[in-house]
Every structure is written in C-alpha cells, then in structure tokens.
Amino acid sequence: MLISETKKKDLEKKGYRFAGIHNHSGNKICHWTRKSIVDDGVCYKEQFYGIKSHRCLQMSPAIPYCQHKCLFCWRDTEITKTSWDTDDYDDPKTIIEDCIKNQKQLLCGFFGNDNANPKKLEECTKPNNAAISLAGEPLLYPEINQLLREFEKKDFTTFLVSNGERPDLLSKLEDEEPTQLYISLDAPNEEIYKKTCLPQVENGWQKLQESLDLLTTLDTRKVLRITSVHELNMLNTDEYAKIIDKTDIDYVEIKAYMFVGDSRNRLEWENMPTTAQLNKFAYDIAEKSGLDVIDEVEKSRVLLLGDKKPQKYNN
C-alpha cells in the first residue's frame, strides 16, 4: 500500500480526496476557490494570469512521491517516497474523472450558502484549470504526458509545478507541455539548498541546474518560484540573480513562506517574512537580474518579476 490507512484517513480529515484505487493521486479544495465562490477574494493566479479561482482543480497524480522534504512544505513529508516503486497506478482518465467528481462533492455545501455568487456556483463544479501542485513531484507519475493530454482534451489549462530533480523526465515534456511550467528555486546555492529542501537523493542541486538548462527546449510559459523563508533562504540575492540571468524563463514568483500545515513542526512563526522583508528580498533580486516587479498580491504575499505583464489566459 502506497499510503497507510491511518495516513490516508489523516489526509482525508485535512480535506484530501483520493482518485482511482491506488492512493497515489487526488485533489483538495483550495482556500481561494472557497473564497472566490462567495466573492471574498481570489488566488494570485487569477490576478497574474487570468485563471479563475472558482474553476481551479488543485490536484496531484503523485501525492506520496517527492525527492525533497522541504522545511517549508505544508504537506506531511513522512509519507514521501523518492521514486515510483510500483507498477500499479491509475490511468490518467480515471484520475481526472475522479478528481472532478471529488470537486463536485467537496463544493456541494456552497449550494446552500446565500453568500455564494450564482454564476460562480454554476461554474465551480466544472473546473477548467488543473493546478498540478497539491503534493509530491508530478513528473514521477509514469503517465504524466498522457495526463496533460487528457486535460487538454477536456479544454483545461494546466499549471504544473516541479522541483526540477528529474531533468530526464522534464525533457520528455516536449511531446506534451503544460500550459504553464513552474520550477521551484528555493535556494541560491547548494549549501542553502541542502538546508532548506532536505534532498533525499544524490546530486540534487546538480539535477536542478540541469533542469534549468533544459528550459530552453520547452515552448511554454516558464516560471521560477521562490518560497521565501526568513533566516533560511532569503539571502545571497546576487546568486539568485545569476541563476535567473542564465535561465530561459518568462517570470519569477517570489512568495512568502506561511506558517501553516505540517511546516509548523519544522519551522517557527518567526520564519514567516514580514511584508517589508519580502519586498526587500524581491526588489533586490529584481534589480540584480534586470527585471521589474510587475505585479503583487499582498493578501497572498507574492510578487511577480518579469519584463512585462503576462497575457492572461482566456479561462
């Protein structure tokens, strides 16, 4: 069994719902999806890129698989395996269909909520963006290309987040690229990377650099994401800038670490940067890499760096 019954029940209490029969994929309603339905705010991805929060499916095909145990991760890293160690897995179509069913069930309570926006209520159970970022490393799912293809058939946009530890698998996305690809860059050098990401594999930093070099081969929107943790990785901005300079990316998202979930067992409240600390960090990196801070969502504690504002997806 990929996830013990005890851990599965624990995740379900936290709002996860599993898809298929092998317990490696599933989804969870995002905080901003709930907020959006009652017109109480939207995810930064809506402001930056046009993705409608009330129609976003937050999911993963590889919940128990990741090569990192990042200190800042809000997930339960105790269940994490570093590589796919079984031939048993669910097919992409089943995963998507089950996740959409889960979404409908998880949102059913809003149909009795007088504060729900009627138009959003009509649309929320018909998601059209997949945020493939809920947990784990999605590239480890053996049929990740087919999963992206199935989403495309259903007219979904796809936002895939990778830790960059499998450049060999990243290169195979040339056949079926996500709408937007994120690579996590959570350290400016190998020493800080090891302290922050706690890699469970050899040569993790080198693998990440290989993945960054590969981005020139991918014809999709590419974003570097930095989760900023005070007194851990918010330093050496010149080194971050050098990596950004040499990488073929469109945007950089600099986001504050939030003291939530299981990360509270590893870090302290004080590791959450203040708005002033986050802004200084972001503006330092922007200046040194020749980029502008082109947008910001203060509620989500995230700043967007780039040359020009992104064209929004017609979502």
Side-chain angles (χ1 to χ4, degrees), residues 64-98:
Y65 294 102
C66 188
Q67 302 93 334
H68 291 164
K69 292 192 176 184
C70 299
L71 292 177
F72 58 78
C73 185
W74 54 266
R75 291 89 168 175
D76 178 2
T77 58
E78 286 185 15
I79 65 171
T80 301
K81 305 168 188 289
T82 59
S83 60
W84 206 275
D85 56 2
T86 176
D87 293 328
D88 296 325
Y89 55 85
D90 295 299
D91 66 277
K93 193 171 181 181
T94 297
I95 291 171
I96 295 171
E97 288 176 353
D98 284 1

Side-chain angles (χ1 to χ4, degrees), residues 201-263:
V201 292
E202 296 290 329
N203 303 316
W205 180 251
Q206 289 72 25
K207 294 294 184 186
L208 174 58
Q209 304 314 304
E210 286 180 41
S211 289
L212 295 177
D213 290 342
L214 270 172
L215 293 183
T216 56
T217 66
L218 299 176
D219 184 23
T220 190
R221 185 180 283 171
K222 292 158 281 194
V223 183
L224 290 184
R225 185 179 68 176
I226 301 172
T227 300
S228 313
V229 188
H230 182 52
E231 295 187 335
L232 184 61
N233 67 351
M234 294 176 68
L235 63 172
N236 299 62
T237 52
D238 54 329
E239 291 185 272
Y240 277 111
K242 284 178 184 176
I243 294 171
I244 292 166
D245 282 343
K246 71 170 190 174
T247 305
D248 178 28
I249 49 96
D250 299 291
Y251 298 100
V252 180
E253 288 180 6
I254 298 184
K255 198 173 190 307
Y257 158 68
M258 302 302 288
F259 189 65
V260 296
D262 283 60
S263 75

Side-chain angles (χ1 to χ4, degrees), residues 9 22 88 128 158 179 192 228 233 262 265:
K9 287 179 180 176
H22 293 295
D88 296 325
N128 61 0
T158 48
T179 312
I192 296 171
S228 313
N233 67 351
D262 283 60
N265 300 324

